[in-house]
Amino acid sequence: MTLLVTGGTGFVMSVLAREWLDRDPKARTVILDRSGLDAMAQKYFAPVRDRLTVITADILDPSAWSAALDAEDITAIVHGATITPISRGSASEAKRQPEAEDPARIVDVNLMGTVRMLDWARNHSGVRRLVYVSSGAIYRHHGPDWSGEPLPEDGYVAPLTLYGISKFASEMVVNRYADLFGLSAASVRLASVYGPMDRATESRNFRHVPNRIAHFALAGEVIRPNSLEPVGDYIQSSDVARAIIALLDAPQLRYRHYNIGSGTTTTIGDIIGWARERVPGLTAEISAADKANIVQDPALKHGMWGAYDIARIERDTNWRPRPGKEAFHAYMDWIAEHEMS
């Protein structure tokens, strides 16, 4: 079994590639990415490097990678190559609008990169399934209609950013290719992901709240949120990897779109409390937004900012997310071992 992972040297996709190799000593992974393995990725993949092939090329240029992929016995594809131009988390970062820096590149990579991969996949009968990695950014800011319900996959779609727009457009293209060419394909919409291998890369430089709190706590820094009340559906990268693999393994997929999240919301105050269990002397001080090192809007509690309904993936697979505190503590342990040793 050989899995092709586009964008596989980055954050979530690198964890997926490693998870695929760890579970089966005979499995192989091929990574297609514009960036090669950085120092952290080289260390991360070292135990399985003999079963990993890295093709360094631009997803938009099939002439640079299609022949190399033709030589591999690819049986499944996870297309995660993307540009994630998000700016949020501190007062200074919130002032930036990274989408304005190169908007055409975002649309080209996120949409036309998907088309290029689909064109390759449809001509290779050995590919039995393709999973497209989408995002909760395709959802609107409000919903569902009934208070307290998690956000389902049907409806509530109204992307406002080029990132979300390009992701939703790609989902629709994946669906159409599936119908036209008989591909077994589905899209996964990720909630707020943090965890192992979360670092600044060429295509993504953003850290969700659990990442920031874990690093501040382990470094002995004072955590200064603007509020303890903001929420998020936070899911650890290892859980996301296992969820995607469960969809690759499923005998049949009954849906075209699947949410992947924890299925519940967690506040900044909750996460600080979890961190304090590992770092008892941790200090947290509510601060004005201009002095805070974690800035979130307390009003963002619904739609893409709230809990994601994960009933579909629970129906079609045996995957379940770990409890939030367990996953967060596992990430703190990973940081201590791999980033601070």
Side-chain angles (χ1 to χ4, degrees), residues 15-170:
V15 178
L16 168 69
R18 177 66 190 270
E19 186 76 24
W20 178 267
L21 294 170
D22 282 345
R23 73 172 193 153
D24 182 354
K26 296 180 179 179
R28 294 187 62 253
T29 297
V30 176
I31 284 176
L32 172 60
D33 200 310
R34 185 181 180 185
S35 301
L37 300 178
D38 61 17
M40 181 178 285
Q42 290 179 17
K43 180 180 178 181
Y44 184 64
F45 284 115
V48 293
R49 191 64 179 86
D50 60 324
R51 293 183 287 125
L52 174 67
T53 299
V54 180
I55 300 171
T56 305
D58 191 327
I59 191 70
L60 294 174
D61 183 12
S63 66
W65 50 261
S66 59
L69 291 187
D70 291 344
E72 303 288 346
D73 185 21
I74 305 296
T75 54
I77 300 171
V78 177
H79 179 52
T82 189
I83 293 178
T84 311
I86 300 175
S87 179
R88 203 162 42 87
S90 70
S92 60
E93 290 169 341
K95 295 177 181 178
R96 290 184 61 244
Q97 185 54 269
E99 283 193 322
E101 295 170 8
D102 195 352
R105 177 70 180 169
I106 295 167
V107 176
D108 280 347
V109 171
N110 294 0
L111 177 56
M112 293 311 300
T114 303
V115 173
R116 299 289 180 258
M117 181 47 55
L118 287 166
D119 271 336
W120 185 87
R122 72 183 178 89
N123 290 307
H124 292 77
S125 59
V127 176
R128 60 176 185 78
R129 181 158 295 159
L130 181 146
V131 171
Y132 172 67
V133 182
S134 188
S135 167
I138 65 101
Y139 290 122
R140 71 188 193 190
H141 288 200
H142 301 285
D145 297 332
W146 301 104
S147 177
E149 291 185 359
L151 187 68
E153 291 89 347
D154 290 332
Y156 310 105
V157 173
L160 299 177
T161 64
L162 288 177
Y163 176 68
I165 292 166
S166 61
K167 284 293 188 181
F168 183 58
S170 293

Side-chain angles (χ1 to χ4, degrees), residues 3 29-30 40 60 75 78 83 97 103 142 154-155 169 172 174 186 196 199 216 224 234 257 269 300 306 329 341:
L3 174 67
T29 297
V30 176
M40 181 178 285
L60 294 174
T75 54
V78 177
I83 293 178
Q97 185 54 269
H142 301 285
D154 290 332
M172 297 300 100
V174 169
R199 67 207 191 282
F216 287 149
R224 295 187 174 87
Y234 298 111
H257 310 103
L300 298 178
H329 282 167
S341 58

